[in-house]
Amino acid sequence: MTRPDSFSVPDFHLPFGNSKHPQAARANAEATSWVVRHELVTDAVEQFAGIGFGHLAGRVSGEVPYETVVLLAEWMAWSFVLDDQHDHLIRTGDVAAWEPVTAAITEHLRTGRTSSAPARRNPLVSGFTDLCDRILDGMTALTAARYRAHVPLMLNSLDQEAGNRGAGGGAGRPAVQDYVLMRRHSSQLLPMMDMVEAGLGLEVPQHIHDLPEFQALIASAVDVISWGNDVFSLPKEHACGDNNNLVSLISFWEKCSLADAVRTVEGRIQTRIEEYLAGERRLSQALDALGETDPSVRAAVTRCVRSYEDWMIGADLWQRYECTRYSDERFAAGLESAYTRPDLVSVA
């Protein structure tokens, strides 16, 4: 496979506007302090802060209260540590150590408690419990049920990624469509979207949320964001032999260069954007066909649709201009970041 030596990220031509919370930088600082207090990061704190999770939270959260932006930024910061720690265990061939962590997280999510004392002391678990309790406290029963369903799917997708790489970062390569379905959860977007909708005070009735037209809209938005992120993160994942990347998979299965695969992904993203815009019209027609005339329901659906647009353009702007993660030399070389704690999963 060719090296991405002359790699550049294309303009994905996202036809959406975006505004940013005026206190996004403050949220980034507060979320960084939260991570340090929970001992998720102990070294290279400034580098970790450069990921810009508070800036991303400020771009995708709309007109929510500042406290909600901070909570979302803290969750995002925790998610980056989670992802990096999982990657560390794959590198070291110690993925089995992951199971007690995910078991404790899912137990707390399900029951509100963690029975294992060592797991409770693990920073990933204690950080999650702190966040989860505050997140659920601000959600209606309906939104909380979606959040509770999305988090285990997110964790399971990380196990799928580990399986794709194999015990030694091997050559397992899923089919492109299988990867696309997995990526919708490994992106970790769905629980965060639940948080934003709760922060906006939105509640879409379940029978409308389950409509094929509504689900297609969510899938289109998540795909646009995830595939764009695969382009931004390609140098790092290619360098360390990580096959969990749409560009790398297209290059392999279609036997083309990475540059050609990037152009293919760019085309797929543009098609997905067009499908999203057409999906907005189909969803409106579906609501008309249902005879749904409740102004509050229609307003909630409309605001959700705009929220997904905020996510698509906000994530792109964040990656281009406010996040050092994808331009960091260590990251691009396929190395672990300087802030990664090698002992974090085993800490008790």
Side-chain angles (χ1 to χ4, degrees), residues 158-205:
L158 296 179
D159 292 333
Q160 289 179 269
E161 286 192 337
N164 291 342
R165 291 177 66 175
R173 291 182 177 87
V176 169
Q177 187 55 32
D178 291 339
Y179 172 77
V180 166
L181 296 175
M182 180 199 75
R183 188 72 171 100
R184 290 175 185 168
H185 297 293
S186 67
S187 67
Q188 307 191 38
L189 289 166
L190 293 175
M192 293 188 284
M193 288 176 165
D194 296 331
M195 292 176 64
V196 170
E197 289 170 28
L200 290 169
L202 303 176
E203 184 166 65
V204 175

Side-chain angles (χ1 to χ4, degrees), residues 222-302:
V222 171
D223 287 349
V224 167
I225 302 164
S226 302
W227 299 352
N229 179 257
D230 279 3
V231 176
F232 280 97
S233 63
L234 175 62
K236 179 259 188 183
E237 286 155 4
H238 181 267
C240 68
D242 186 352
N243 299 312
N244 294 292
N245 185 290
L246 184 59
V247 177
S248 294
L249 289 172
I250 288 175
S251 176
F252 176 79
W253 289 113
E254 297 187 8
K255 297 179 172 55
C256 64
S257 69
L258 285 174
D260 286 343
V262 167
R263 285 190 286 272
T264 298
V265 172
E266 180 185 5
R268 285 183 175 230
I269 289 173
Q270 295 307 137
T271 298
R272 216 65 177 109
I273 293 168
E274 293 167 6
E275 290 171 347
Y276 181 87
L277 296 172
E280 290 183 355
R281 295 188 291 273
R282 284 195 292 271
L283 177 57
S284 180
Q285 292 165 358
L287 293 177
D288 291 341
L290 280 176
E292 182 56 72
T293 58
D294 186 331
S296 65
V297 172
R298 300 292 293 235
V301 171
T302 298

Side-chain angles (χ1 to χ4, degrees), residues 41-322:
V41 169
T42 56
D43 297 311
V45 174
E46 185 175 346
Q47 183 194 71
F48 182 73
I51 294 174
F53 25 80
H55 295 280
L56 176 58
R59 284 199 176 278
V60 303
S61 54
E63 58 279 359
V64 303
Y66 174 69
E67 292 74 17
T68 302
V69 178
V70 174
L71 182 58
L72 179 59
E74 290 171 350
W75 173 269
M76 288 175 171
W78 176 84
S79 297
F80 279 113
V81 175
L82 181 84
D83 189 65
D84 287 341
Q85 285 296 317
H86 188 262
D87 191 58
H88 171 74
L89 294 179
I90 293 173
R91 293 170 185 270
T92 58
D94 197 23
V95 178
W98 193 245
E99 195 278 331
V101 173
T102 57
I105 288 173
T106 53
E107 180 188 10
H108 186 87
L109 188 69
R110 186 178 66 255
T111 67
R113 59 186 297 273
T114 302
S115 57
S116 168
R120 283 199 304 271
R121 291 191 294 269
N122 184 280
L124 275 171
V125 177
S126 63
F128 172 81
T129 58
D130 172 60
L131 291 169
C132 181
D133 291 347
R134 288 187 286 140
I135 289 167
L136 291 174
D137 188 55
M139 287 181 166
T140 65
L142 186 58
T143 308
R146 291 174 189 152
Y147 172 83
R148 283 192 168 99
H150 286 148
V151 172
L153 291 170
M154 176 190 83
L155 295 172
N156 290 340
S157 70
L158 296 179
D159 292 333
Q160 289 179 269
E161 286 192 337
N164 291 342
R165 291 177 66 175
R173 291 182 177 87
V176 169
Q177 187 55 32
D178 291 339
Y179 172 77
V180 166
L181 296 175
M182 180 199 75
R183 188 72 171 100
R184 290 175 185 168
H185 297 293
S186 67
S187 67
Q188 307 191 38
L189 289 166
L190 293 175
M192 293 188 284
M193 288 176 165
D194 296 331
M195 292 176 64
V196 170
E197 289 170 28
L200 290 169
L202 303 176
E203 184 166 65
V204 175
Q206 194 62 43
H207 73 282
I208 293 178
H209 201 273
D210 289 340
L211 285 173
E213 292 84 358
F214 198 97
Q215 290 298 307
L217 210 63
I218 297 173
S220 292
V222 171
D223 287 349
V224 167
I225 302 164
S226 302
W227 299 352
N229 179 257
D230 279 3
V231 176
F232 280 97
S233 63
L234 175 62
K236 179 259 188 183
E237 286 155 4
H238 181 267
C240 68
D242 186 352
N243 299 312
N244 294 292
N245 185 290
L246 184 59
V247 177
S248 294
L249 289 172
I250 288 175
S251 176
F252 176 79
W253 289 113
E254 297 187 8
K255 297 179 172 55
C256 64
S257 69
L258 285 174
D260 286 343
V262 167
R263 285 190 286 272
T264 298
V265 172
E266 180 185 5
R268 285 183 175 230
I269 289 173
Q270 295 307 137
T271 298
R272 216 65 177 109
I273 293 168
E274 293 167 6
E275 290 171 347
Y276 181 87
L277 296 172
E280 290 183 355
R281 295 188 291 273
R282 284 195 292 271
L283 177 57
S284 180
Q285 292 165 358
L287 293 177
D288 291 341
L290 280 176
E292 182 56 72
T293 58
D294 186 331
S296 65
V297 172
R298 300 292 293 235
V301 171
T302 298
R303 185 62 187 88
C304 270
V305 168
R306 186 155 65 86
S307 178
Y308 302 147
E309 295 175 1
D310 289 341
W311 273 100
M312 285 186 279
I313 185 64
D316 184 78
L317 293 171
W318 162 73
Q319 290 175 122
R320 289 182 191 277
Y321 305 118
E322 297 160 344

